Amino acid sequence: MSCKLTQRFVPGYLDGELDLSRTIEMETHLQTCGECARELERLQALRAALQRGALAYAAPAGLRERIQSSLSAPTPGETSKRTSGWPAMQFLRPLLLLRWAGAFAVLALCAVTAWQLLPGLRGPTSDQRIEAEVFASHVKSLEASHLMDVASTDQHTVKPWFDGKLDFSPPVEDLASDDFPLVGGRLDYLEGREVAALVYQRRKHFINVFVWPDAAGSKSEQTVESRQGYNLVRWSRGGFQFWAVSDVSAPDLAEFVRLLETRIAPEPK
Ligand SMILES: [Zn+2]
């Protein structure tokens, strides 16, 4: 694994987002490369500083009671007593409430800030984890010159190649007539399972399309993400989950996904 790739994956490594094989590669590289090890230490120190910092405050124990007592509606007797005894307090009550409201707003803001600054404390969601894996696989397939196990522009060669290698048969479509030629495929590993990776080309750029059966099985809306100069689109169709990732422009990738969707499940005429 190169230094450039290692340093790109360091944040994901710290967040526990990398898959096992990539974690092992990272750790092997970190043992021998001082520069990358220092980058890891720098990020660890930053995270520790954020966790130590006074970003969140616990409300003092008596706060609830004091607010409740200041909010509780006074009985008519109390009002007259307070009015007669402490006329100034009656005037000050709205100000006191405002002060408490302000204190609450500050506490809420601190909590939200801490939540946003420390994603590692929340743990990634399943989608975030897959996205990180998809992104990592795409980058790795380009850097490690392991883009394709089967290099062919013929979908009738690529599709049967997966037979017997996967427990499902991925839909394989060539989009050469739309200037997105299929160039090959390979096996990849995501979410703890083997998946199909189909490789398409747009001029000098590659598009990886990862395909595996969708447990939910329903058609879903596309989600579009961008990550360090790459665009990622996720969707489900026909019982499969798809992730397309590339450094082609977002409109080009959207057009590619639209064309692919049309081929896989033609719109009813
Ligand atoms: Zn290095």
Short mmCIF file of all heavy atoms in Angstrom, two decimals, residues 106-130:
data_model
loop_
_atom_site.label_atom_id
_atom_site.label_comp_id
_atom_site.label_asym_id
_atom_site.label_seq_id
_atom_site.Cartn_x
_atom_site.Cartn_y
_atom_site.Cartn_z
N VAL A 106 -27.55 27.22 24.93
CA VAL A 106 -26.10 27.03 24.89
C VAL A 106 -25.76 25.55 25.11
O VAL A 106 -24.94 24.97 24.39
CB VAL A 106 -25.39 27.91 25.94
CG1 VAL A 106 -23.93 27.53 26.07
CG2 VAL A 106 -25.54 29.38 25.56
N LEU A 107 -26.44 24.93 26.08
CA LEU A 107 -26.19 23.51 26.35
C LEU A 107 -26.51 22.67 25.12
O LEU A 107 -25.76 21.77 24.73
CB LEU A 107 -27.06 23.02 27.52
CG LEU A 107 -26.59 23.46 28.90
CD1 LEU A 107 -27.64 23.07 29.94
CD2 LEU A 107 -25.26 22.81 29.24
N ALA A 108 -27.64 22.98 24.47
CA ALA A 108 -28.05 22.21 23.29
C ALA A 108 -27.02 22.38 22.18
O ALA A 108 -26.64 21.42 21.52
CB ALA A 108 -29.43 22.66 22.82
N LEU A 109 -26.53 23.61 22.01
CA LEU A 109 -25.56 23.88 20.95
C LEU A 109 -24.27 23.10 21.21
O LEU A 109 -23.69 22.52 20.29
CB LEU A 109 -25.28 25.39 20.91
CG LEU A 109 -24.41 25.85 19.74
CD1 LEU A 109 -25.13 25.59 18.43
CD2 LEU A 109 -24.08 27.33 19.88
N CYS A 110 -23.84 23.08 22.49
CA CYS A 110 -22.63 22.34 22.83
C CYS A 110 -22.80 20.86 22.50
O CYS A 110 -21.90 20.22 21.96
CB CYS A 110 -22.32 22.47 24.32
SG CYS A 110 -21.72 24.11 24.73
N ALA A 111 -23.97 20.33 22.84
CA ALA A 111 -24.21 18.90 22.60
C ALA A 111 -24.16 18.61 21.10
O ALA A 111 -23.54 17.64 20.66
CB ALA A 111 -25.56 18.49 23.17
N VAL A 112 -24.79 19.47 20.29
CA VAL A 112 -24.82 19.27 18.84
C VAL A 112 -23.40 19.37 18.27
O VAL A 112 -22.98 18.57 17.44
CB VAL A 112 -25.75 20.31 18.17
CG1 VAL A 112 -25.57 20.29 16.66
CG2 VAL A 112 -27.20 20.01 18.52
N THR A 113 -22.64 20.37 18.77
CA THR A 113 -21.26 20.56 18.28
C THR A 113 -20.42 19.32 18.57
O THR A 113 -19.71 18.80 17.71
CB THR A 113 -20.62 21.78 18.97
OG1 THR A 113 -21.50 22.88 18.80
CG2 THR A 113 -19.29 22.11 18.35
N ALA A 114 -20.54 18.82 19.81
CA ALA A 114 -19.76 17.63 20.19
C ALA A 114 -20.15 16.46 19.31
O ALA A 114 -19.31 15.70 18.83
CB ALA A 114 -19.99 17.31 21.66
N TRP A 115 -21.46 16.33 19.04
CA TRP A 115 -21.97 15.24 18.21
C TRP A 115 -21.36 15.29 16.82
O TRP A 115 -20.98 14.28 16.24
CB TRP A 115 -23.49 15.38 18.15
CG TRP A 115 -24.21 14.33 17.37
CD1 TRP A 115 -24.69 14.44 16.10
CD2 TRP A 115 -24.55 13.02 17.81
NE1 TRP A 115 -25.30 13.29 15.73
CE2 TRP A 115 -25.24 12.40 16.74
CE3 TRP A 115 -24.34 12.32 18.99
CZ2 TRP A 115 -25.72 11.10 16.84
CZ3 TRP A 115 -24.83 11.02 19.07
CH2 TRP A 115 -25.50 10.43 18.01
N GLN A 116 -21.25 16.52 16.29
CA GLN A 116 -20.74 16.64 14.92
C GLN A 116 -19.23 16.48 14.86
O GLN A 116 -18.69 16.00 13.87
CB GLN A 116 -21.14 18.00 14.34
CG GLN A 116 -22.61 18.03 13.98
CD GLN A 116 -23.05 19.39 13.51
OE1 GLN A 116 -22.40 20.39 13.76
NE2 GLN A 116 -24.17 19.42 12.80
N LEU A 117 -18.55 16.94 15.92
CA LEU A 117 -17.09 16.90 15.89
C LEU A 117 -16.53 15.52 16.16
O LEU A 117 -15.39 15.24 15.84
CB LEU A 117 -16.51 17.88 16.92
CG LEU A 117 -16.52 19.34 16.49
CD1 LEU A 117 -16.08 20.21 17.64
CD2 LEU A 117 -15.61 19.56 15.30
N LEU A 118 -17.31 14.68 16.78
CA LEU A 118 -16.76 13.40 17.19
C LEU A 118 -17.52 12.24 16.55
O LEU A 118 -18.16 11.45 17.24
CB LEU A 118 -16.84 13.27 18.72
CG LEU A 118 -16.02 14.31 19.48
CD1 LEU A 118 -16.29 14.23 20.96
CD2 LEU A 118 -14.54 14.14 19.20
N PRO A 119 -17.46 12.13 15.22
CA PRO A 119 -18.20 11.05 14.57
C PRO A 119 -17.77 9.68 15.06
O PRO A 119 -18.55 8.74 15.07
CB PRO A 119 -17.92 11.25 13.08
CG PRO A 119 -16.69 12.08 13.02
CD PRO A 119 -16.67 12.91 14.27
N GLY A 120 -16.51 9.60 15.50
CA GLY A 120 -16.00 8.31 15.98
C GLY A 120 -16.76 7.81 17.19
O GLY A 120 -16.83 6.61 17.44
N LEU A 121 -17.36 8.74 17.95
CA LEU A 121 -18.10 8.32 19.15
C LEU A 121 -19.44 7.71 18.77
O LEU A 121 -20.01 6.93 19.51
CB LEU A 121 -18.34 9.53 20.07
CG LEU A 121 -17.09 10.15 20.69
CD1 LEU A 121 -17.47 11.30 21.60
CD2 LEU A 121 -16.32 9.10 21.49
N ARG A 122 -19.97 8.12 17.61
CA ARG A 122 -21.29 7.63 17.20
C ARG A 122 -21.18 6.26 16.56
O ARG A 122 -22.08 5.46 16.67
CB ARG A 122 -21.90 8.56 16.15
CG ARG A 122 -22.32 9.89 16.68
CD ARG A 122 -23.16 10.59 15.62
NE ARG A 122 -22.51 10.62 14.34
CZ ARG A 122 -22.18 11.74 13.74
NH1 ARG A 122 -22.41 12.89 14.28
NH2 ARG A 122 -21.60 11.71 12.56
N GLY A 123 -20.06 6.02 15.87
CA GLY A 123 -19.93 4.79 15.10
C GLY A 123 -20.64 4.97 13.78
O GLY A 123 -21.70 5.58 13.72
N PRO A 124 -20.04 4.46 12.68
CA PRO A 124 -20.64 4.66 11.37
C PRO A 124 -21.90 3.82 11.20
O PRO A 124 -22.01 2.75 11.78
CB PRO A 124 -19.55 4.18 10.40
CG PRO A 124 -18.71 3.25 11.21
CD PRO A 124 -18.81 3.68 12.64
N THR A 125 -22.85 4.32 10.40
CA THR A 125 -24.03 3.52 10.08
C THR A 125 -23.63 2.49 9.04
O THR A 125 -22.54 2.57 8.46
CB THR A 125 -25.15 4.39 9.50
OG1 THR A 125 -24.67 4.92 8.25
CG2 THR A 125 -25.50 5.54 10.43
N SER A 126 -24.54 1.55 8.79
CA SER A 126 -24.25 0.50 7.82
C SER A 126 -23.96 1.10 6.44
O SER A 126 -23.00 0.71 5.77
CB SER A 126 -25.43 -0.45 7.78
OG SER A 126 -25.41 -1.20 6.61
N ASP A 127 -24.76 2.09 6.03
CA ASP A 127 -24.55 2.72 4.73
C ASP A 127 -23.21 3.45 4.65
O ASP A 127 -22.53 3.40 3.63
CB ASP A 127 -25.67 3.72 4.42
CG ASP A 127 -26.81 3.04 3.68
OD1 ASP A 127 -26.72 1.81 3.46
OD2 ASP A 127 -27.78 3.73 3.32
N GLN A 128 -22.85 4.12 5.75
CA GLN A 128 -21.56 4.83 5.77
C GLN A 128 -20.42 3.84 5.66
O GLN A 128 -19.41 4.09 5.01
CB GLN A 128 -21.42 5.65 7.06
CG GLN A 128 -22.28 6.89 7.07
CD GLN A 128 -22.30 7.56 8.43
OE1 GLN A 128 -22.17 6.90 9.46
NE2 GLN A 128 -22.46 8.86 8.44
N ARG A 129 -20.60 2.68 6.31
CA ARG A 129 -19.55 1.67 6.28
C ARG A 129 -19.40 1.12 4.86
O ARG A 129 -18.30 1.00 4.34
CB ARG A 129 -19.90 0.55 7.26
CG ARG A 129 -18.71 -0.03 7.99
CD ARG A 129 -19.13 -0.99 9.07
NE ARG A 129 -20.20 -1.85 8.69
CZ ARG A 129 -21.39 -1.88 9.31
NH1 ARG A 129 -21.61 -1.11 10.34
NH2 ARG A 129 -22.34 -2.68 8.89
N ILE A 130 -20.55 0.83 4.21
CA ILE A 130 -20.47 0.31 2.84
C ILE A 130 -19.86 1.36 1.93
O ILE A 130 -19.01 1.06 1.10
CB ILE A 130 -21.87 -0.09 2.32
CG1 ILE A 130 -22.49 -1.15 3.21
CG2 ILE A 130 -21.78 -0.59 0.88
CD1 ILE A 130 -23.91 -1.51 2.82
#
